Amino acid sequence: MMQKYEMTDLGLLHHFLGMRVLQTENGVFIHQSKYAKSLLVKFGLEDCKSVTIPLPTGEKLKKVDGSQLADEGLFRKIVGTLLYLTATRPDIMFAASLLSRFMHSPTKKHMGIAKRVLRYIQGTLSYGIEFTRDMNAVLIGFCDSDWAGSEDDSRSTSGYAFNFGSGAFSWASVKQNTVALSTAEAEYVSAAEATVQAIWLRFVLDYFGEMQPDATPLFCDNMSAISMVKNPVFHQKTRQINRRYHFIREALQEGVIDMRFCISEEQLADIFTKALPKDRFNYLRLKLGVKPVSSLGEAVES
């Protein structure tokens, strides 16, 4: 680029859109510690007591919970800043996505949960994602779903994560558009949504010269959903599923994806579908590549 344009070489990348980039001998570490600190100061929680997980296990939120209405403007600001922080913090993706469902007329309980997430941020300020060197450049996906997790409309939550040899670089936690009549249907819809992302990621990687010659492995922990994907016959179990989700079968037949089974304990996308206990949450957080900057070696500064 310097041969064609007038440019100045400023050395290795250190900052980008509020993200700090640390380059080490082992790879690259990206975090938003400065931004996270500014959030706590902005909302008056810089001296708050931290918590170990963003959401209490088993907590169910709904639009009408009996508590008084909270400051809608303040709640929206908190949720909006949390959503921006998810650029390097997939561990708060589900919490931020869940809270974003209550932007209109939030209650005191919703506000309390939002502030709890900030208290979790207080205890994990230096956390970010590490992408390590010398790993196989193969796109791998994980997809999962809860079942009827929403208290208001009984819809399920889909979650997926993709990595390219090391830390996760693409993830989502989204409430499904329809009510699933079974866990298999919820998982099937989640797999279809993950397939859409896999197709787009394969296109982007191909553009950057990282073409994926083989089908992208997509791991699911529900054998019934996998069987529904691999069965080309529309049998009774799939009659009620929206036709738009059935393209996943074409993607399988064309060699774009390869549906594989994984045990629930190793399902990375589980962290995007529900509130988890501390040990389970910490395990999946580490598997996603999220860790403190203190776990790294000396950063390359020049």
Side-chain angles (χ1 to χ4, degrees), residues 35-245:
Y35 178 72
K37 290 178 183 178
S38 70
L39 296 187
L40 298 176
V41 174
K42 179 179 180 179
F43 299 115
L45 294 172
E46 63 269 27
D47 297 320
C48 68
K49 184 178 179 181
S50 64
V51 294
T52 56
I53 52 177
L55 295 174
T57 307
E59 184 68 57
K60 295 287 187 179
L61 297 181
K62 53 185 177 181
K63 292 181 180 179
V64 180
D65 54 26
S67 61
Q68 297 179 344
L69 294 179
D71 186 336
E72 186 173 307
L74 176 61
F75 182 80
R76 290 186 175 188
K77 288 179 181 178
I78 294 177
V79 176
T81 53
L82 289 176
L83 287 171
Y84 185 73
L85 190 59
T86 60
T88 59
R89 296 293 300 271
D91 51 325
I92 64 168
M93 184 73 250
F94 174 70
S97 176
L98 178 64
L99 290 170
S100 68
R101 303 175 188 177
F102 307 101
M103 295 294 233
H104 179 65
S105 300
T107 65
K108 296 284 188 180
K109 184 175 182 179
H110 300 147
M111 181 67 77
I113 295 296
K115 290 185 176 180
R116 177 191 170 93
V117 179
L118 290 175
R119 291 171 58 201
Y120 168 73
I121 297 298
Q122 170 76 302
T124 55
L125 283 172
S126 66
Y127 279 55
I129 298 183
E130 182 183 24
F131 301 97
T132 56
R133 301 178 190 271
D134 302 324
M135 301 292 286
N136 292 330
V138 178
L139 182 66
I140 300 175
F142 296 83
C143 63
D144 195 25
S145 173
D146 70 344
W147 183 45
S150 174
E151 289 286 297
D152 294 307
D153 52 20
S154 296
R155 294 183 183 179
S156 307
T157 299
S158 295
Y160 63 73
F162 288 88
N163 62 50
F164 193 54
S166 57
F169 74 100
S170 177
W171 55 82
S173 175
V174 184
K175 187 164 76 167
Q176 296 180 1
N177 293 325
T178 58
V179 177
L181 301 183
S182 66
T183 56
E185 181 180 339
E187 297 272 5
Y188 182 87
V189 172
S190 173
E193 293 171 344
T195 299
V196 174
Q197 185 70 2
I199 293 172
W200 182 77
L201 291 175
R202 287 171 63 92
F203 170 78
V204 173
L205 290 173
D206 186 24
Y207 181 80
F208 287 125
E210 293 288 350
M211 187 180 74
Q212 301 293 291
D214 300 321
T216 297
L218 187 58
F219 289 95
C220 175
D221 60 3
N222 188 290
M223 284 301 299
S224 295
I226 294 175
S227 298
M228 289 163 61
V229 173
K230 294 184 176 181
N231 187 353
V233 180
F234 282 66
H235 50 73
Q236 189 172 357
K237 288 185 177 180
T238 61
R239 285 188 306 174
Q240 77 282 1
I241 300 177
N242 193 315
R243 291 180 182 176
R244 68 187 297 266
Y245 297 113

Side-chain angles (χ1 to χ4, degrees), residues 216-283:
T216 297
L218 187 58
F219 289 95
C220 175
D221 60 3
N222 188 290
M223 284 301 299
S224 295
I226 294 175
S227 298
M228 289 163 61
V229 173
K230 294 184 176 181
N231 187 353
V233 180
F234 282 66
H235 50 73
Q236 189 172 357
K237 288 185 177 180
T238 61
R239 285 188 306 174
Q240 77 282 1
I241 300 177
N242 193 315
R243 291 180 182 176
R244 68 187 297 266
Y245 297 113
H246 290 308
F247 81 96
I248 186 175
R249 292 172 175 169
E250 290 186 5
L252 181 73
Q253 294 169 1
E254 293 173 359
V256 176
I257 63 164
D258 179 18
M259 290 296 298
R260 300 183 185 179
F261 177 77
C262 73
I263 59 175
S264 298
E265 289 75 12
E266 297 298 324
Q267 178 54 268
L268 268 63
D270 193 32
I271 199 172
F272 302 117
T273 63
K274 62 180 78 71
L276 300 173
K278 177 183 174 181
D279 292 342
R280 172 75 172 154
F281 179 84
N282 289 342
Y283 174 74

